[in-house]
């Protein structure tokens, strides 16, 4: 069964085809959800909603462009909806650095830790960081998606980077101190 | 080795193509939604039910308190009363066993009864009736005096001959209370009602074959098997039953049982495969098990490529559970004689002690693993009958067909598998 056949199966609302699509892509989509959500539970709820939307809107996919990319956009939109309703202060700050560098010993830092600090970011910063850095959206696209000004998007990104940098460097400091005492 | 790196790069590289498996409930909810049914929310149902259990216990203890009256007395007053020494009239004997005075009235003797109804709050006597009745009618009359505010006074009793002594059974004087409202009492003999049984408890072993099945089709093991037929497998429940008499008609029963339940899903194909499948609820030592219905041919991208060379077996999928059951039921007595019929209703708490899933073929059984979606604690609602046969005063035999419908057996369930089981519990009890 090729992917094309499975997609056609989904269009026919064939549960077996739908379940196979889920089996093939759930893990990757869940990885995406985890980055955008605050915790595993929320990520699972988002994944669930996303797939239901995917199966519901399958007719809109016309085999143009990657199917995986199409699904990813739906997943991201679903997660954004969860957080769009919440009111966040519109802080616009200038004079924030564009390039942020961090002192990091990559052997010491685990994926779980990186995921954790991303999940701990304040809502909007997390959304913007993920969209820009990990999923390649531009500030213009982000401002359209999230209903915020471009400037806000940029400053949110900078603040997110700084928070993450501080956390990483602090956690490494702790480890180093431990070594020498 | 430390280096200075662009923070964006750090995250991009680490999160590239990150894949994490979500839990099975996600697909189950998606599937339910796709099929147009309401989603299963994992609300801790057992929390709600334990609240109900507490309420039940409170109600029982209140009911027990209300029904538990002792020392009911009948006042006997007679001007013709003669002391036992004179040899005439009422014989006032005491029951050596419990040191309770017993009045004996022969059935053919005529007695006068005087009933007075006293209003509870005002303590004023409202109605006075005087009747002459035979001794044999007395128990009936006494039974009908249901009212706490009515006292029965036997004002005149003719002589009773020793050898003709019948006795006013303790059981015939159910609810008559003693009030000292008469001042001119020559001699008062009191009948203190002994409780019908100070033997309120009974205990005994029970054993039952049990048959497990589901009300609707479905499979808690895999969504692929929803439409397969399930058949019960005979299994056993045995344990100890204990009951306590709350009142004449009601008994509270409890106990502890070990219950082994099992059922088979027919026409299942099991294949061992290296790819990981998310929708089966089995915790197994094999890297991956595909379960599918023999009715459909495997419809899967990966299966067609990988599983052609792997072994697969077809047969019945057996799921079995072992529980410790603690029932709490109310037994209502419909009629009682040597053989009694009772109606039973209540609920049980189940504690899972073991479970297994295996493939059963005509000449072999292969153990696959354990289910990972079974709740350790769940509840059932029970209803049924109880027929008991009294062998002696203290011993009786009983047979009780019961149906128990389980709630919350599985933390998630593929399809609509709602298990219930039917058993015929038989045993003996001993009163104490």
């Amino acid at each position: 069964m090729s992917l094309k056949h499975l997609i056609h199966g989904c269009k026919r609302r064939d549960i077996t085809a739908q379940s196979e699509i889920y089996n093939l892509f759930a893990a990757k989509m869940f990885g995406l959800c985890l980055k955008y959500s605050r915790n595993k539970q929320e990520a699972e709820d988002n994944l669930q909603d996303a797939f239901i939307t995917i199966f519901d809107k399958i007719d809109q996919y016309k085999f143009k462009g990657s199917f995986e990319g199409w699904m990813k956009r739906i997943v991201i939109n679903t997660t954004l909806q969860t957080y769009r309703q919440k009111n966040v202060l519109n802080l616009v700050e200038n004079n924030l650095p564009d390039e942020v560098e961090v002192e990091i010993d990559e052997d010491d830092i685990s994926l779980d830790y990186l995921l954790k600090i991303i999940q701990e970011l304040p809502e909007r910063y997390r959304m913007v960081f993920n969209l820009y850095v990990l999923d390649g959206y531009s500030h213009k696209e982000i401002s359209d998606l999230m209903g915020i000004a471009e400037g806000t998007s940029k400053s949110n990104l900078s603040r997110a980077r700084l928070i993450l940098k501080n956390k990483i460097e602090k956690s490494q400091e702790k480890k180093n101190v431990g070594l020498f005492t | 080795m430390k280096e200075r790196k662009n923070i964006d790069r750090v995250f991009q590289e680490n999160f590239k193509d990150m894949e994490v498996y979500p839990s099975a409930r996600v697909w189950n909810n998606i599937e339910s939604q796709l099929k147009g049914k309401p989603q299963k929310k994992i609300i801790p149902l057992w929390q709600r039910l334990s609240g109900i259990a507490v309420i039940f216990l409170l109600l029982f203890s209140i009911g027990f308190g209300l029904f538990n009256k002792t020392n009911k007395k009948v006042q006997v007053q007679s001007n013709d009363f003669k002391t036992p020494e004179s040899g005439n009239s009422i014989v006032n004997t005491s029951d050596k066993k419990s040191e309770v005075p017993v009045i004996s009235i022969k059935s053919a003797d005529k007695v006068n009864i005087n009933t007075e109804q006293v209003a509870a709050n005002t303590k004023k006597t409202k109605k006075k009736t005087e009747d002459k009745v035979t001794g044999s009618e007395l128990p009936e009359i006494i039974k009908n005096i249901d009212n706490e505010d009515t006292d029965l006074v036997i004002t005149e009793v003719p002589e009773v001959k020793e050898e003709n002594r019948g006795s006013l059974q303790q059981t015939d004087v159910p609810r008559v209370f003693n009030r000292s409202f008469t001042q001119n009492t020559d001699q008062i003999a009191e009948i203190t009602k002994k409780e019908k049984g100070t033997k309120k408890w009974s205990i005994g072993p029970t054993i039952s074959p049990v048959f497990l099945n589901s009300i609707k089709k479905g499979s808690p093991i895999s969504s692929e098997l929803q439409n397969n037929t399930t058949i019960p497998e005979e299994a056993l429940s045995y344990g100890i039953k204990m009951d306590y008499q709350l009142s004449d008609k009601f008994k509270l029963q409890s106990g502890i049982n070990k219950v082994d339940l099992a059922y088979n899903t027919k026409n299942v194909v099991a294949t061992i495969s290296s790819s990981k499948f998310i929708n089966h609820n089995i915790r197994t030592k094999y890297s991956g098990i595909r379960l599918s219905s023999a009715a459909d041919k495997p419809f899967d991208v990966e299966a067609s490529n990988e599983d052609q060379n792997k072994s697969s077996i077809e047969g019945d999928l057996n799921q079995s559970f072992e529980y410790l059951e603690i029932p709490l039921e109310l037994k209502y007595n419909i009629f009682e004689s040597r053989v009694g019929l009772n109606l039973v209703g209540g609920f049980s708490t189940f504690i899972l002690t073991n479970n297994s899933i295996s493939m059963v073929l005509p000449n072999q059984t292969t153990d696959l693993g354990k289910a990972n979606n079974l709740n350790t604690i769940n509840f059932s609602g029970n209803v049924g009958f109880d027929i008991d046969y009294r062998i002696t005063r203290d011993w009786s035999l009983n047979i009780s067909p019961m149906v128990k419908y389980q709630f919350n057996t599985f933390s998630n369930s593929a399809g609509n598998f709602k298990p219930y089981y039917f058993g015929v519990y038989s045993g003996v009890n001993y009163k104490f």
Side-chain angles (χ1 to χ4, degrees):
Chain A
M1 272 299 136
S2 71
L3 183 57
K4 195 163 174 226
H5 275 111
L6 286 176
I7 297 172
H8 279 301
C10 291
K11 288 181 187 243
R12 284 193 307 270
R13 302 297 190 268
D14 176 359
I15 185 79
T16 326
Q18 288 168 326
S19 118
E20 259 325 298
I21 291 279
Y22 179 84
N23 284 345
L24 289 169
F25 293 104
K28 223 180 214 162
M29 297 300 132
F30 190 52
L32 196 56
C33 287
L34 277 171
K35 290 181 297 199
Y36 280 91
S37 311
R38 281 181 295 193
N39 52 54
K40 188 174 181 232
Q41 187 77 11
E42 263 184 22
E44 283 188 343
D45 291 340
N46 283 328
L47 182 70
Q48 187 177 306
D49 291 342
F51 264 97
I52 290 168
T53 310
I54 287 170
F55 291 132
D56 203 34
K57 302 215 157 117
I58 191 86
D59 297 315
Q60 293 175 14
Y61 178 68
K62 310 280 186 199
F63 295 95
K64 289 206 168 106
S66 126
F67 182 63
E68 192 175 316
W70 181 79
M71 284 199 295
K72 263 191 173 162
R73 279 196 295 283
I74 294 184
V75 172
I76 290 174
N77 275 320
T78 309
T79 48
L80 285 182
Q81 265 166 34
T82 319
Y83 303 108
R84 201 177 276 145
Q85 278 98 21
K86 309 205 173 129
N87 285 323
V88 187
L89 280 172
N90 281 318
L91 278 172
V92 183
E93 231 176 277
N94 298 316
N95 303 323
L96 286 169
D98 277 330
E99 285 271 320
V100 175
E101 285 197 334
V102 64
E103 284 236 352
I104 183 168
D105 182 352
E106 288 209 78
D107 298 324
D108 242 353
I109 295 280
S110 73
L111 177 59
D112 280 338
Y113 178 73
L114 290 177
L115 182 58
K116 175 164 157 313
I117 58 176
I118 287 207
Q119 287 180 337
E120 282 173 358
L121 282 174
E123 238 75 284
R124 254 243 298 275
Y125 299 172
R126 184 171 75 245
M127 297 298 135
V128 173
F129 184 83
N130 276 314
L131 286 165
Y132 187 88
V133 175
L134 299 175
D135 292 306
Y137 286 73
S138 70
H139 286 299
K140 173 86 180 57
E141 289 171 321
I142 294 173
S143 69
D144 287 336
L145 268 174
M146 292 187 61
I148 55 175
E150 256 187 75
T152 314
S153 175
K154 290 180 182 165
S155 64
N156 285 346
L157 177 62
S158 298
R159 297 195 128 265
R161 283 174 174 148
L162 286 172
I163 293 173
L164 292 169
K165 169 196 158 85
N166 284 335
K167 283 194 175 176
I168 291 173
E169 287 179 345
K170 260 208 186 110
S171 102
Q172 283 180 136
E173 237 176 66
K174 276 193 195 148
K175 288 182 187 169
N176 289 334
V177 167
L179 280 172
F180 289 120
T181 50
Chain B
M1 196 191 65
K2 255 198 184 169
E3 49 173 322
R4 283 199 74 87
K5 218 174 166 171
N6 184 296
I7 194 162
D8 290 3
R9 294 281 313 281
V10 172
F11 283 91
Q12 280 162 350
E13 283 167 14
N14 275 283
F15 284 125
K16 195 166 145 63
D17 295 328
M18 179 170 81
E19 281 195 13
V20 180
Y21 284 96
S23 65
R25 79 169 175 103
V26 177
W27 171 252
N28 290 326
N29 285 335
I30 293 172
E31 201 190 6
S32 311
Q33 190 89 328
L34 290 173
K35 290 183 168 174
K37 279 161 206 151
Q39 293 176 19
K40 272 190 158 72
K41 292 268 173 172
I42 309 170
I43 301 165
L45 185 67
W46 61 269
Q47 277 180 356
R48 251 194 252 155
L49 285 178
S50 58
I52 296 173
V54 171
I55 293 169
F56 263 120
L57 284 169
L58 279 173
L59 286 175
F60 289 154
S61 47
I62 293 169
F64 160 62
L66 283 174
F67 285 124
N68 190 20
K69 301 268 184 200
T70 53
N71 290 335
K72 292 153 192 149
K73 295 175 197 153
V74 167
Q75 212 178 76
V76 176
Q77 172 200 21
S78 172
N79 294 326
D80 294 338
F81 222 94
K82 291 191 177 80
T83 59
E85 288 87 74
S86 70
N88 270 334
S89 192
I90 292 168
V91 180
N92 185 9
T93 62
S94 68
D95 182 357
K96 288 267 159 25
K97 246 210 278 190
S98 63
E99 313 227 278
V100 161
V102 173
I103 281 280
S104 300
I105 299 172
K106 198 164 129 210
S107 59
D109 297 335
K110 277 208 168 1
V111 299
N112 272 352
I113 59 165
N114 213 334
T115 61
E116 288 206 7
Q117 282 182 299
V118 180
N121 1 5
T122 63
K123 296 279 181 192
K124 276 192 199 157
T125 52
K126 282 208 162 162
K127 205 165 75 168
K128 228 181 186 172
T129 57
E130 218 172 278
D131 287 304
K132 219 182 185 101
V133 294
T134 58
S136 57
E137 290 171 51
L138 209 52
E140 260 313 301
I141 294 167
I142 292 172
K143 260 197 200 147
N144 291 332
I145 297 174
D146 212 15
N147 194 335
E148 275 191 49
D149 295 321
T150 304
D151 283 343
L152 175 68
V153 174
I154 302 173
T155 51
E156 197 180 287
V157 181
E159 64 179 64
V160 171
K161 299 210 168 44
E162 275 284 336
E163 60 272 20
N164 292 330
R165 193 192 310 165
S167 57
L168 188 65
Q169 293 296 331
Q170 303 302 0
T171 54
D172 301 330
V173 188
R175 287 186 208 85
V176 182
F177 290 87
N178 177 42
R179 296 270 190 322
S180 51
F181 64 89
T182 52
Q183 278 96 14
N184 302 324
T185 316
D186 286 349
Q187 214 170 23
I188 295 170
E190 290 182 346
I191 306 171
T192 305
K193 179 191 180 324
K194 224 172 16 175
E195 287 299 337
K196 177 172 181 175
T198 40
K199 299 188 170 185
K200 285 185 154 191
W201 293 89
S202 83
I203 191 168
T206 100
I207 191 165
S208 166
V210 282
F211 302 90
L212 174 76
N213 210 332
S214 164
I215 291 181
K216 290 191 188 170
K217 263 193 177 163
S219 169
I221 301 176
S222 166
S223 51
E224 305 257 341
L225 302 175
Q226 298 198 74
N227 293 317
N228 290 42
T229 327
T230 55
I231 52 169
E233 188 177 273
E234 185 180 320
L236 201 62
S237 161
Y238 53 90
I240 296 185
K241 188 161 88 159
M242 194 140 145
D243 51 67
Y244 180 75
Q245 187 108 30
L246 285 174
S247 76
D248 263 359
K249 289 278 179 190
F250 282 98
K251 272 195 181 146
L252 187 63
Q253 71 187 25
S254 183
I256 186 159
N257 294 316
K258 180 163 190 303
V259 190
D260 294 332
L261 293 167
Y263 73 95
N264 289 320
T265 307
K266 298 207 78 72
N267 306 319
V268 176
V269 178
T271 315
I272 297 174
S273 136
S274 59
S275 50
K276 205 167 178 178
F277 287 89
I278 313 171
N279 23 350
H280 300 331
N281 295 314
I282 307 182
R283 191 167 63 235
T284 173
K285 58 180 185 266
Y286 301 107
S287 58
I289 293 193
R290 266 186 83 54
L291 288 176
S292 51
S293 172
D296 338 308
K297 288 302 157 203
F299 181 99
D300 185 83
V301 184
E302 290 166 79
S304 52
N305 296 332
E306 294 181 11
D307 292 347
Q308 275 148 17
N309 302 326
K310 302 278 198 289
S311 61
S312 62
I313 46 180
E314 180 175 336
D316 290 345
L317 186 68
N318 175 283
Q319 181 168 28
S320 49
F321 325 84
E322 279 173 50
Y323 286 106
L324 265 179
E325 178 197 356
I326 301 167
L328 186 66
E329 291 155 350
L330 195 59
K331 198 150 84 163
Y332 174 71
N333 182 257
I334 300 177
F335 68 81
E336 176 83 39
S337 63
R338 192 154 194 109
V339 176
L341 180 65
N342 303 284
L343 192 61
V344 185
F347 61 91
S348 295
T349 307
F350 288 86
I351 301 170
L352 185 68
T353 55
N354 207 351
N355 81 87
S356 78
I357 297 179
S358 50
M359 280 296 289
V360 177
L361 279 77
N363 50 357
Q364 70 176 103
T365 303
T366 312
D367 182 38
L368 294 179
K370 290 181 194 281
N372 62 7
N373 60 345
L374 275 173
N375 280 327
T376 317
I377 297 191
N378 53 63
F379 295 87
S380 74
N382 312 340
V383 72
F385 287 102
D386 187 296
I387 299 167
D388 53 75
Y389 175 74
R390 201 161 16 112
I391 309 174
T392 72
R393 203 169 54 140
D394 293 338
W395 289 89
S396 56
L397 209 60
N398 74 339
I399 289 205
S400 174
M402 296 283 298
V403 173
K404 302 191 182 182
Y405 174 71
Q406 283 197 320
F407 311 115
N408 212 33
T409 315
F410 302 99
S411 54
N412 58 59
S413 179
N416 286 315
F417 194 80
K418 299 214 188 300
Y420 69 92
Y421 70 90
F422 170 73
V424 180
Y425 293 83
S426 38
V428 286
N429 339 16
Y430 174 69
K431 278 197 166 79
F432 64 94

